[in-house]
Amino acid sequence: MIDASKLTEQFGCLVFSDKIMKERLPKDIYKAVHKTIEKGTHLELDVANTVAAVMKEWAIENGATHFTHWFQPMTGLTAEKHDSFISPTGDGQILMEFSGKELVKGEPDASSFPSGGLRATFEARGYTAWDPSSPAFIKDGSLYIPTAFCSYGGEALDKKTPLLRSMDALSKEAVKILNLLGLTEKADIDELKAILKDYAKETDSEYAKEILSDFDEYIPNFKKIVPNK
């Protein structure tokens, strides 16, 4: 029976959420990951290594011994490629290892999945790439890392890659429209700054503080939208 009094504690307890990242990652690494999530910037290897180390530590604390790149090929099902954190040493001992490279990229056998005739079976090379916008989670003793799945040439072999690409394309076109509107009235700028100050005070948001610290540079990123009456 579920203990209703502990629901708020138990809900999402096996998810490597934003809250967990903020608690465990160094501030600069946390900000770098969020920059990748929000702006699609390249994730440097040293950042990936730090995230992987923290993610592994958290996963092991919660009973995980393996990790898997979890993806959605064009089969109507999900797919997984499991590997162990455990690496044997020459003296009969083991090490618990998980690198940034293992977090960011995997190479399952793409010949096992539909490709729409993109290439012959013997040419099949498929890659999984970590999608940091989807949080990792633990299930049945494994750390599940949500990933996109594509071919060597970049063709989508899954259902997530087209979705991510369409979201990116839509965002770019929306930004073009918003750039035509701008935020130039002093009253609007002052109001925005006041809102950000209140938000930073109430939530201790690192993003709000960062924007306020270089407010003039961030102003072009804000647009005022007024609905038609």
Side-chain angles (χ1 to χ4, degrees):
M1 181 180 293
I2 297 175
D3 186 349
S5 66
K6 295 183 178 180
L7 276 178
T8 54
E9 299 173 22
Q10 295 172 346
F11 183 81
C13 64
L14 296 181
V15 176
F16 194 70
S17 62
D18 184 74
K19 179 176 180 290
I20 298 295
M21 286 197 293
K22 189 172 184 179
E23 290 174 354
R24 291 177 173 253
L25 292 175
K27 281 189 176 181
D28 59 329
I29 300 297
Y30 175 76
K31 289 170 70 173
V33 173
H34 259 274
K35 189 175 181 181
T36 296
I37 293 172
E38 295 175 359
K39 298 184 178 180
T41 56
H42 176 70
L43 192 72
E44 298 296 335
L45 183 58
D46 60 334
V47 175
N49 281 331
T50 302
V51 174
V54 171
M55 192 181 287
K56 178 201 71 176
E57 182 180 302
W58 170 81
I60 291 173
E61 286 175 9
N62 286 279
T65 56
H66 292 68
F67 66 92
T68 178
H69 277 197
W70 181 60
F71 54 103
Q72 292 79 32
M74 294 181 286
T75 59
L77 302 171
T78 61
E80 306 155 15
K81 180 179 181 293
H82 288 256
D83 289 289
S84 176
F85 289 129
I86 298 172
S87 296
T89 62
D91 58 358
Q93 302 298 310
I94 61 170
L95 292 174
M96 302 296 276
E97 296 182 323
F98 183 50
S99 69
K101 287 184 178 180
E102 290 172 312
L103 167 64
V104 171
K105 188 177 79 170
E107 190 174 348
D109 178 12
S111 65
S112 304
F113 302 102
S115 66
L118 289 172
R119 69 277 186 275
T121 300
F122 69 89
E123 297 172 322
R125 292 180 68 184
Y127 297 91
T128 50
W130 176 38
D131 172 20
S133 65
S134 298
F137 59 93
I138 295 171
K139 178 177 178 288
D140 299 330
S142 289
L143 172 67
Y144 279 67
I145 302 164
T147 58
F149 183 44
C150 60
S151 72
Y152 178 77
E155 295 90 356
L157 299 177
D158 65 346
K159 295 183 177 181
K160 171 169 270 197
T161 301
L163 175 62
L164 293 174
R165 288 175 176 172
S166 62
M167 288 169 60
D168 183 58
L170 183 61
S171 176
K172 287 178 180 177
E173 296 308 311
V175 168
K176 289 179 183 178
I177 295 174
L178 291 174
N179 283 337
L180 299 175
L181 304 176
L183 186 66
T184 57
E185 296 292 331
K186 185 178 184 303
D188 291 334
I189 294 172
D190 291 343
E191 182 180 4
L192 171 63
K193 194 168 188 177
I195 291 171
L196 284 169
K197 284 182 177 179
D198 289 342
Y199 182 75
K201 183 178 179 181
E202 291 293 328
T203 65
D204 197 32
S205 168
E206 293 295 331
Y207 296 116
K209 292 176 183 177
E210 180 182 340
I211 292 171
L212 287 168
S213 69
D214 200 6
F215 186 67
D216 290 342
E217 290 295 321
Y218 278 94
I219 287 177
N221 295 323
F222 290 92
K223 312 299 174 186
K224 182 177 180 179
I225 308 299
V226 181
N228 291 327
K229 294 183 179 180

